[in-house]
Amino acid sequence: MNVQDEAVRTARISALKASRTLTCLFMASCTEAGGDHINSTAAFDGTTSSTTAQQDSALPVSSLMASLGLNEWLKYILLGFVVEIARRQLYNLEAWFTSFFFVTAEIPADDDCYDWLLVWLSKQPAIKNARKKIFSTSKDRRSLAILPEEGDHWCDAKSRRLFSLPSVFETYSLWYRHRLVRVRRVALPRPGYYDREAMELRVLAWGQELLNELLLEAKKDYLSSFEDKICVYVAIPSSSDWIPLATRPKRPIQSIILDSDIQDMVLEDVQEFMRSKAWYTDRGIPFRRGYLLHGSPGSGKTSLIHSIAGELGLNVFLISLSARGMDDTKLAELIAYLPERCITLMEDIDAAFLHGVSRDGVDGMVSTQAQSHSGGAPSPQGQAQAHAPAPTPNGDSDSDDYSGKVTLSGLLNALDGIGAQEGRILFATTNRYAALDPALCRPGRMDMHVEFRHASRRQGEELFKRFFMVGTNSSSAESARQGERQGFQAGNKDARVSRPEDPVSYSVSEASSSEVTLIDVDVAAEHWPAKQSSVGLPQLSAEEINDLAIRFAESIPEREVSMATLQGFLMMHKRSPVDAAYKVGAYVEDLLASSRPDIVSSGAVVSKVESRT
Ligand SMILES: Nc1ncnc2c1ncn2[C@@H]1O[C@H](COP(=O)(O)OP(=O)(O)OP(=O)(O)O)[C@@H](O)[C@H]1O
């Protein structure tokens, strides 16, 4: 035998020794509990030096089992089998019992129904008093629906609400209409993806009715929390998601003071659109409608959208094209994830493009002209340039500051491309109508253009009445207001609405311009001595307020100041309508003299409307 063979043999024997020692240790530790301790290590020890592999295999099996105490082991293994089989049978029995006696629903977390249930559950005593639950103050859409309750010290106007939610994987039992309901939040496995959160709801009942009733009750409960509110959602480009931003009380449409009842016209148009799905489908016309509100700042564009959302019970989904991280893909995704019934709002739609990004990659103003001749197709060169970092007003390329990378073609595709959402109601606002690309404004994208101008005298008068007549305890107040309103509607046609598909522009004639005579404020104070009051509203009748409103309207120049400016002025004199009526003239004169750009009328907007319609 050579040295190599000897080394192999030694290695084999060592390996065998080691494995036996391990086996003996394992067996000894396992059989110790049965009291049959076997010191097999010693037995093996005596043989290790002289035994070989062939001798080991010759050991009788029965004596090996006995020496290892395997008989005891078999008992335990069998017992384990029996316990496991019993457990499985019990599980099957429970599953059978549940499916037989309970109606079960699984509701994924991304479904609206999930929110209804979570809010409903958070109000159930079984959850409120549960020993294990989740406390939350998060500002998500559920929390927006949970109203403060009496004696709820957590829920003041400023602090976030504290509410309890069912804990994950915990099963809660509660009673609904004398029937047992079992609820738990579960994770539904999704192959190759994260688990999906869901709610498992089991109702002890034969039919579906009780479950349906529960869900309907939860839905009603949830929606009633928003009855007098609209919910505003904001787009988060980084996650292509929508998160609730706030709830806002509904604003009555009558509180928007516009000439010629534009607000009613727009509202009716939206209502008609919402009723006309079949009409659009029958004619193969994409079921979308866009409204472009343009004109002076502070003239009521946002307020009108707010009111319309409230009147129609729609939530508002706010998209900022120049938000950090927003690009064409995110925009398309965000628009695709919009719910079917909602208002999509793009405020200051010109803002993203005034950074210099446009379909042709040049300044939006210039491209407006170029585009009108190009027929609307994006050029590859233009697209490439449009993706490049936008130049800042001083001409630098500023990729850090300017984070929005939405191109015009990206926006156009999102609005009515192949992946565009059906049934969408889009409202866009701008103060720079002239800067918009005609392709963006064409029918199909923006179907109705509404121009907002600075306040007319009639608007000023109406604003004054609404401001001071609220709470006037006179039956004549409302009738006077009604009468005024009718006169206002019938007499004034100084507003413009245009529909691109309809070349006829609604409107236009100038409001009668009455002479403005400024009266000395001291004279006014003499005229209204008993009415001046520094605390609370003076007790004025509706007729007196009407007179002051006329006075107020006569003192402001036609179409020179915004409604927001007038409202701001009235706020300064909210306890003194007399002062407000007699001091407004001087106030406006001062403002105009200082030529603040936000209050000076712009004639350019008006001419653009005419050229476009
Ligand atoms: N036509 C109006 N009727 C009633 N209130 C108005 C009107 N216009 C403006 N206001 C008041 O002025 C304020 C500003 O109005 P709003 O934000 O709707 O103007 P806007 O046209 O959207 O302004 P911007 O273009 O600057 O966003 C609001 O508080 C609103 O109540």
Side-chain angles (χ1 to χ4, degrees):
M1 188 180 291
N2 58 27
V3 181
Q4 213 176 357
D5 289 343
E6 182 60 29
V8 171
R9 189 171 166 276
T10 317
R12 255 197 221 159
I13 289 172
S14 320
L16 196 64
K17 267 182 171 180
S19 74
R20 277 178 184 161
T21 312
L22 279 175
T23 313
C24 290
L25 281 171
F26 175 69
M27 290 299 183
S29 68
C30 292
T31 53
E32 227 167 64
D36 192 10
H37 182 73
I38 298 160
N39 192 355
S40 46
T41 316
F44 278 114
D45 275 345
T47 55
T48 45
S49 55
S50 58
T51 50
T52 61
Q54 288 87 351
Q55 282 170 326
D56 290 338
S57 64
L59 278 174
V61 176
S62 57
S63 66
L64 180 68
M65 281 182 68
S67 67
L68 296 179
L70 224 53
N71 288 339
E72 276 305 315
W73 258 87
L74 270 176
K75 278 186 217 162
Y76 287 111
I77 290 170
L78 277 174
L79 189 67
F81 268 124
V82 171
V83 169
E84 176 59 18
I85 288 168
R87 193 188 67 81
R88 288 185 187 198
Q89 288 309 318
L90 269 176
Y91 181 81
N92 288 342
L93 193 70
E94 196 220 345
W96 175 85
F97 181 84
T98 308
S99 68
F100 194 76
F101 289 106
F102 284 81
V103 180
T104 305
E106 270 174 5
I107 298 142
D110 49 13
D111 195 284
D112 283 354
C113 198
Y114 187 89
D115 289 343
W116 308 338
L117 268 178
L118 221 49
V119 171
W120 184 81
L121 284 170
S122 71
K123 296 174 184 171
Q124 301 305 311
I127 309 290
K128 276 186 178 173
N129 305 327
R131 294 168 69 87
K132 187 176 177 193
K133 59 189 171 182
I134 295 176
F135 276 112
S136 176
T137 57
S138 81
K139 209 174 173 222
D140 59 12
R141 59 197 156 155
R142 293 151 202 159
S143 69
L144 296 177
I146 295 171
L147 299 174
E149 287 175 11
E150 231 171 278
D152 194 345
H153 301 298
W154 288 90
C155 306
D156 59 48
K158 283 182 190 154
S159 70
R160 287 186 181 184
R161 292 170 196 139
L162 178 77
F163 55 96
S164 40
L165 295 171
S167 192
V168 184
F169 296 126
E170 190 77 6
T171 303
Y172 297 88
S173 299
L174 47 116
W175 295 95
Y176 176 71
R177 302 203 178 158
H178 311 296
R179 294 297 180 91
L180 180 68
V181 177
R182 308 203 72 194
V183 186
R184 66 184 180 137
R185 291 167 77 181
V186 293
L188 300 179
R190 280 191 295 179
Y193 207 62
Y194 296 115
D195 286 355
R196 190 184 196 195
E197 194 190 325
M199 177 90 70
E200 192 185 77
L201 191 69
R202 288 180 173 167
V203 183
L204 185 61
W206 286 110
Q208 307 279 327
E209 295 77 22
L210 202 73
L211 180 68
N212 292 345
E213 278 172 31
L214 191 155
L215 290 176
L216 262 178
E217 185 178 314
K219 180 183 179 184
K220 270 190 204 152
D221 199 37
Y222 181 87
L223 294 181
S224 69
S225 316
F226 292 105
E227 221 157 52
D228 52 350
K229 296 193 198 97
I230 57 166
C231 200
V232 182
Y233 292 78
V234 66
I236 303 295
S238 55
S239 56
S240 301
D241 204 1
W242 293 97
I243 59 157
L245 180 68
T247 51
R248 293 272 174 270
K250 289 182 178 173
R251 179 172 179 160
I253 195 102
Q254 296 78 16
S255 74
I256 312 294
I257 306 161
L258 296 172
D259 293 327
S260 295
D261 270 352
I262 293 179
Q263 66 274 44
D264 292 337
M265 201 184 297
V266 180
L267 178 64
E268 273 162 29
D269 194 273
V270 181
Q271 278 170 329
E272 195 188 319
F273 168 75
M274 290 172 71
R275 286 192 297 265
S276 324
K277 187 168 183 178
W279 189 93
Y280 279 80
T281 314
D282 291 347
R283 286 157 185 79
I285 301 172
F287 183 47
R288 304 178 196 117
R289 196 124 179 108
Y291 301 84
L292 180 60
L293 312 189
H294 62 97
S296 328
S299 53
K301 299 182 286 298
T302 310
S303 307
L304 177 63
I305 298 164
H306 180 167
S307 284
I308 288 177
E311 292 287 333
L312 300 178
L314 299 174
N315 290 329
V316 175
F317 286 71
L318 206 55
I319 300 184
S320 168
L321 295 178
S322 49
R324 183 166 290 276
M326 182 71 85
D327 60 19
D328 291 350
T329 316
K330 303 279 183 205
L331 180 66
E333 282 175 4
L334 283 163
I335 289 190
Y337 294 155
L338 281 167
E340 200 169 297
R341 276 172 53 90
C342 72
I343 284 183
T344 313
L345 173 58
M346 293 185 186
E347 288 257 48
D348 298 318
I349 197 167
D350 55 294
F353 305 105
L354 291 182
H355 288 275
V357 179
S358 78
R359 181 182 294 185
D360 296 324
V362 291
D363 182 271
M365 298 275 207
V366 180
S367 78
T368 299
Q369 305 306 322
Q371 195 59 52
S372 59
H373 299 294
S374 71
S379 72
Q381 186 195 4
Q383 283 196 32
Q385 284 170 339
H387 280 284
T392 57
N394 58 14
D396 305 334
S397 177
D398 186 355
S399 55
D400 289 338
D401 283 351
Y402 176 65
S403 47
K405 294 192 181 65
V406 176
T407 65
L408 182 58
S409 58
L411 175 61
L412 300 183
N413 279 328
L415 294 186
D416 73 346
I418 192 83
Q421 184 220 26
E422 283 286 293
R424 70 148 171 74
I425 300 169
L426 171 72
F427 275 86
T429 68
T430 180
N431 299 135
R432 305 191 58 173
Y433 189 52
L436 295 183
D437 192 301
L440 184 61
C441 305
R442 75 147 167 78
R445 292 186 182 123
M446 300 294 167
D447 303 278
M448 189 185 243
H449 297 197
V450 183
E451 188 199 9
F452 286 69
R453 303 170 71 197
H454 282 321
S456 67
R457 292 205 176 99
R458 281 186 179 275
Q459 280 178 285
E461 187 181 329
E462 188 71 4
L463 182 71
F464 187 97
K465 285 186 210 163
R466 284 190 190 285
F467 199 90
F468 290 110
M469 231 181 251
V470 174
T472 318
N473 194 17
S474 156
S475 60
S476 64
E478 190 46 37
S479 62
R481 200 187 306 175
Q482 289 280 340
E484 281 299 322
R485 182 162 170 71
Q486 281 159 14
F488 178 69
Q489 289 167 4
N492 190 9
K493 299 212 173 352
D494 193 15
R496 293 150 194 255
V497 178
S498 57
R499 293 182 166 121
E501 74 268 34
D502 172 7
V504 182
S505 175
Y506 289 66
S507 71
V508 176
S509 75
E510 281 304 313
S512 62
S513 63
S514 32
E515 281 293 307
V516 180
T517 326
L518 293 177
I519 294 184
D520 197 305
V521 178
D522 295 337
V523 180
E526 251 174 52
H527 187 68
W528 304 83
K531 311 286 184 181
Q532 294 284 9
S533 156
S534 56
V535 183
L537 259 180
Q539 294 300 305
L540 297 179
S541 68
E543 287 73 24
E544 286 171 324
I545 290 180
N546 273 340
D547 288 348
L548 287 172
I550 293 168
R551 169 80 259 147
F552 178 84
E554 284 174 348
S555 306
I556 56 171
E558 186 77 5
R559 304 278 180 211
E560 299 247 357
V561 289
S562 70
M563 287 290 276
T565 305
L566 292 182
Q567 183 180 277
F569 173 80
L570 292 179
M571 292 293 288
M572 292 193 294
H573 298 276
K574 61 179 176 220
R575 298 199 194 290
S576 175
V578 179
D579 277 357
Y582 283 88
K583 288 182 181 170
V584 68
Y587 173 78
V588 172
E589 247 187 15
D590 281 355
L591 277 181
L592 292 177
S594 66
S595 295
R596 290 216 353 230
D598 61 325
I599 58 157
V600 177
S601 172
S602 138
V605 178
V606 178
S607 63
K608 269 293 169 192
V609 176
E610 283 158 357
S611 71
R612 278 167 191 266
T613 54

